[in-house]
Amino acid sequence: DAEITQSPRHKITETGRQVTLACHQTWNHNNMFWYRQDLGHGLRLIHYSYGVQDTNKGEVSDGYSVSRSNTEDLPLTLESAASSQTSVYFCASKRGLGTEAFFGQGTRLTVV
Amino acid sequence: TQLLEQSPQFLSIQEGENLTVYCNSSSVFSSLQWYRQEPGEGPVLLVTVVTGGEVKKLKRLTFQFGDARKDSSLHITAAQPGDTGLYLCAGEGSQGNLIFGKGTKLSVKP
């Protein structure tokens, strides 16, 4: 069955370190998204991509970057981790307009 | 920036009661989706509404899209403990990006 997987599921890192969260989907979806979820804020869009070599900034993109070198993967990089980036991160993919978004299980990141 | 205001943020009710969750925006969306999220899991799609005025039913859940495609509501009839969870509305932009409301945390007590 097609799926979307995130790794790692949990990570603790130190302030200032570079961290990369992986997202891999096997649906061959063009659209992929990264969100962070915090209490009181819901899901906030960090970056998104509509296809290979395409990346776009979301509402909370500062301190984060993504790259899309193939259809299946959209890794999220925290250039220099900060305590404010402690959160649960969700990756999602969808085929196109009006279609269902499928979410990964989430990555709980703690920056100490 | 497109924003979705979802209300109420928290809702605690007894089994058998009815409830309505609202999702409002000043922006027009291509479609609006409702998701449900369980603790420790990613959101899962409940329904997509596309046409202004559209009403969709999913068992005891009724979803409505406003005529101007700026707002939506979710009505649950005779809530059950199994309905407990976080309900999220998401507006879809013209290119397919999804903007989420803050969610409604529903607790249904037996």
Side-chain angles (χ1 to χ4, degrees), chain A residues 9 31 33 35 37 40-43 45 48 50 90 94 96-101 103-105, chain B residues 9 31 33 35 37 40-43 45 48 86 88 92-100 102:
Chain A
R9 292 294 312 276
N31 299 351
F33 309 86
Y35 294 89
Q37 188 171 35
H41 289 281
L43 283 161
L45 185 61
Y48 56 103
Y50 292 136
F90 285 98
K94 63 199 295 278
L97 277 174
T99 62
E100 178 178 3
F103 283 80
Q105 296 275 68
Chain B
Q9 193 172 354
S31 70
Q33 298 181 328
Y35 289 79
Q37 186 179 18
E41 303 288 331
L45 181 70
T48 299
L86 179 66
L88 296 155
E92 186 177 37
S94 59
Q95 293 185 296
N97 59 313
L98 283 176
I99 302 297
F100 281 83
K102 292 184 178 181

Side-chain angles (χ1 to χ4, degrees), chain B:
Chain B
T1 302
Q2 296 177 310
L3 291 174
L4 273 171
E5 298 291 335
Q6 197 171 334
S7 63
Q9 193 172 354
F10 300 97
L11 197 53
S12 181
I13 61 172
Q14 293 295 132
E15 182 176 0
E17 292 183 6
N18 301 332
L19 67 112
T20 302
V21 177
Y22 299 94
C23 184
N24 298 296
S25 175
S26 58
S27 302
V28 175
F29 291 102
S30 299
S31 70
L32 200 137
Q33 298 181 328
W34 285 92
Y35 289 79
R36 178 178 162 184
Q37 186 179 18
E38 302 286 348
E41 303 288 331
V44 175
L45 181 70
L46 293 172
V47 78
T48 299
V49 284
V50 179
T51 307
E54 183 176 4
V55 176
K56 282 192 174 180
K57 292 191 175 183
L58 188 65
K59 296 182 180 178
R60 294 176 292 100
L61 278 60
T62 302
F63 304 85
Q64 187 162 5
F65 201 12
D67 290 340
R69 288 161 49 221
K70 292 182 179 181
D71 54 87
S72 181
S73 63
L74 157 61
H75 183 79
I76 301 179
T77 303
Q80 299 177 1
D83 295 326
T84 293
L86 179 66
Y87 291 82
L88 296 155
C89 65
E92 186 177 37
S94 59
Q95 293 185 296
N97 59 313
L98 283 176
I99 302 297
F100 281 83
K102 292 184 178 181
T104 295
K105 189 169 184 180
L106 172 65
S107 174
V108 183
K109 298 177 181 176

Side-chain angles (χ1 to χ4, degrees), chain A residues 55-95:
Chain A
T55 61
N56 305 278
K57 294 181 178 181
E59 60 179 304
V60 291
S61 61
D62 286 350
Y64 303 94
S65 64
V66 293
S67 61
R68 189 88 181 271
S69 58
N70 58 55
T71 301
E72 296 80 14
D73 299 289
L74 187 69
L76 177 71
T77 297
L78 286 69
E79 304 294 344
S80 177
S83 57
S84 60
Q85 294 176 308
T86 292
S87 185
V88 180
Y89 291 85
F90 285 98
C91 178
S93 73
K94 63 199 295 278
R95 182 166 44 85

